[in-house]
Every structure is written in C-alpha cells, then in structure tokens.
Amino acid sequence: MSNFNGLMVEANLIGGRWVGSDAGGTINVINPATGEVIGTVPNGGTDETNRAIAAANAAFPDWSKSNLMTRVTLLHSLHDALMDNQEDLAQLLTAEQGKPIFEARGEIAIGAAYIRWFAEEIRRAKGEIVPAPTADRRLLVTHHPVGVVAAITPWNFPSSMLARKLGPALAAGCTVVAKPATATPYSGLVWGKLCEDVGFPAGVVNIVTGSARQVGGAIMDSPDVRKVTFTGSTEVGKTLIRQSADTVKKVSMELGGNAPFIVFDDADVDAAIEGAMIAKFRNMGQTCVCTNRFYVQAGIHDAFVAKLKEAVAALVVGNGAEDGVQQGPLIDDGAVTKVEELISDAKSKGGNVVQGGKRHGNGGTFFEPTIITGATDDMQFATDEIFGPLAAVFKFDDEAEAIEAANATEYGLAAYAYTRDLGRTFRLNDGLDYGLIGINSGLITTVEAPFGGLKESGMGKEGGSQGLDDYLETKYMCVAGLSS
Ligand code: ADP
C-alpha cells in the first residue's frame, strides 16, 4: 500500500510530537471508490485535545511575538512545500475523499494559494492613529493575535478548508489546534508534517483526530481557546455557537448552503451550461456552494434542459484516481441514501427524471448524475441541501419571481445567475440575499475575495483582506498628558 511518498501520516501532532491516542484506539479510513481501508488514525478524545490546547497555549507567547518576517517566510516555505508535493497530496486526497484527481490537484493549489495570500496580507494589516479630541492625547488602534485558535474542518475539501484557517491564524501570530473530519483525516494531518518540515516551532500547529463530540467538547469548554473557526453543517455550527457562550469565544462559521442558479432568457446558453456543470457537479455536488436549485426562465428552459442533459449524460463516472474521470463516488452510503430519498420525494410530487436517477452500475457509493425537471417548491430539495449529483430544474417567468424564489431559504451562501443585461446584474446584487454572487460564472471562489455566507449559512469571511479580521483583536490605546 502506498504511503503517498511519506505524506500519509497516521498519528496526531501534539506539542511537536507525533502520538497515538492514549488508549491506543484507531479509526479506519476508507477509500470511497474501492471500499478498502487505506489506513488508520488515532481515535483521540478529551485528554488528547486538552494536551493539544495546552501545547498551543504554551507556544503562543513566543509565536505571537515572533518577527513578522519570520512568519511570512515560514508561510511562503509552506506554500512551496505544498506545491512541491502537489501530485502526491492530490492522490492522497482523492484516495480518502473520492474527488477526481484533477479537482484534487486544484484543491492543493488553491490551499497553497491561501497560505501565500495570507503571508502577503499580514504585511498590510495596518493599525490606525485616530485624530484625538484634545491636543494632549494620541489615540492608537492596534491589532493583536486573538490567541489559541481551534479549527474544525469537513470532509469535502479536507485540505483547502484547513488552509483558509491555518493561513490567517499563523500569519496573525495565533497557534492552532486542528480537528480534521474523521472520514478524510490524512489531508489534514499532512499539514502538520509540512509545517514541521519547513520549520514552524513545536506547539504552533497541533492536530487531533477522533471523536467529534469529545474533541469538539474539549475545544468548546476550554477558556484558553479564544476562537473557533468551523466549516461544516449548519446543525453542528449552531451547536458550536451555543457551546461558545460559556467562554465567550470568537466564532467564525462556514455552514450549509442552498444555492440558486438563475438562467434568464437573455443568457448565453452554452456559457450557462458550462457554469451549471461546474456549479452543480464539482466534487459530485458535495460542496456548500454547489447549485441546489436551477431556476430557468420559460423562454430558454427547454433549450437549457436539452443541453444540460447532453452534458450530464457525457460525464465519466469512476474511480477519481483515474485520469479522465469527472465524477467519483459519494463520500458514504448516507449521502447516497439522501439523494435517493430526494429523488423519490420529487417523483411522488410530479418531478420528471430526465437523466440518471439511481445508483450507478459501478456499485458502492457511485451515483448516476441526475436531472429532475418540473421541480416545485413543495419538493424536499427546495429547502434541503442536496449535497449530491442531482440537478433540480424549476421554471419561472419574470425576474422578480426568480429573486423571491431564490431568497426563500434560511441559507445565504452562494447564488449564480446568467444574464447579459447590465441593469439586471446590479438588481441581482441588491436583491439576492447571498454572501457570494456569481454572474455568468459557476466558479467564483478565489483567495483575493471574501468567502462567507449570510443568514444561517454562517458568519465571518475567509479569504480576501477580510479573512484576517477574525484572527486579530483590535485594541485602542489612549496616550494622554502629552502637552508640556
Ligand atoms: P459534514 O460532515 O456534512 O461536512 P459536519 O458538520 O457533520 O459536516 O462535520 C464537520 C466537522 O465538524 C467534522 O470535522 C466533524 O467531525 C465535526 N463535528 C461534528 N459534530 C461535532 C460536534 N458536536 N462538535 C464538534 N465538531 C463536530
């Protein structure tokens, strides 16, 4: 069995030491394309997490006072280490997560890019000198690292979601306790190895795998953890927000989505299909910014559906490790069952399956990329996050109706629209209650821009100049008595 050129680390990193769980328990990690166990990781819990927090706390005074250029240089080295190992890291990611290898390569590259972005941004994280009301005073506004940061990450982007958190935390001078998702721990653990290889001091980055409830519980209980950054489901996010109250932690939350994708009559239909395929089927539909609801205007509806069907039918489904594959397996059987339920619910309410609709002949957790037309608001996928390769197509008549339908959800992460009308573009910007809006593009995430949801999709931004804010405290100092 390959160990991916030494990058598949099967231990936790606590205070600069690679360790197992106290009781020696392990968790199997499964390749969703083959069903085989590719290795094990420690089944850590409360005690291991408390030691990781203590290590991060002990490392904080020195790290937070380290020279800016020490941190910047280490982060650039970390970026380079990622890219030097891009192919092996991509293969490891595909092996534990299932996504096609070309998407995995892209995820490693964007993760590296986030690290480099924050190495650059921290050099511009300026404070302020504010005009004072009286001549004998000077008012200073300064930024300081928040302290120990806990980062809890999901299985759908196990590498880049941690990059968005490690980058700003380490740049700002915070130390970190990370908990990768149990299904995909290796892409998280390897960050620890690469940080160690390039020279981050012991205790600055700590990584614990194991019971979400115990690891999460210890993190939330600890007064030493000053900030929690979480990417995952809205349900777990709400639990963490509640648990943060006792110690008044800062929290940033990247939670679920229910993205609308609106195609107006004046759209370039081929461009809309290209965007639709990326926005719906990337990572087999398992991203929080994936399209959940296609709204297609009546005049272009049939042409759009015909072309979408052609494109979806041509998707190559298989083991993501093989070049040419565009759709891998879903993460686990629960994900498949959920898509099956959504399809049978829609069928029972009059939806038409025009493509796919069932488990794929490959077996396991492979599923046929699916299109349902005639979607209506009473169908479950109108409100629930699909998180699978199922495109639901609703028909609409006018712009106001589309915007109202698009906003009829408690989520507010990503929205997409295809139109060539400039006035409408700005009406959409005002009208859509979403944190990310893509006009004539189905893929808009980039390190330079703030990523984050409105409403129950979360709080806080990752990326952009805003991505540092949550990792820095602001202090105001008044220096008085300056007149002679
Ligand atoms: P998904 O699995 O759909 O990505 P989850 O919200 O279930 O979303 O999981 C995201 C991350 O949160 C994972 O690392 C998971 O282990 C962790 N997690 C799940 N439940 C809890 C919890 N109660 N406390 C802390 N972390 C949790």
Side-chain angles (χ1 to χ4, degrees), residues 345-367:
D345 167 76
K347 277 162 76 174
S348 74
K349 292 169 182 164
N352 310 306
V353 177
V354 297
Q355 183 64 40
K358 56 183 193 307
R359 286 172 185 255
H360 190 272
N362 285 359
T365 59
F366 288 96
F367 202 86

Side-chain angles (χ1 to χ4, degrees), residues 321-339:
E322 292 164 18
D323 272 324
V325 166
Q326 295 161 297
Q327 292 283 286
L330 303 197
I331 189 69
D332 58 24
D333 209 54
V336 177
T337 310
K338 179 165 179 206
V339 176

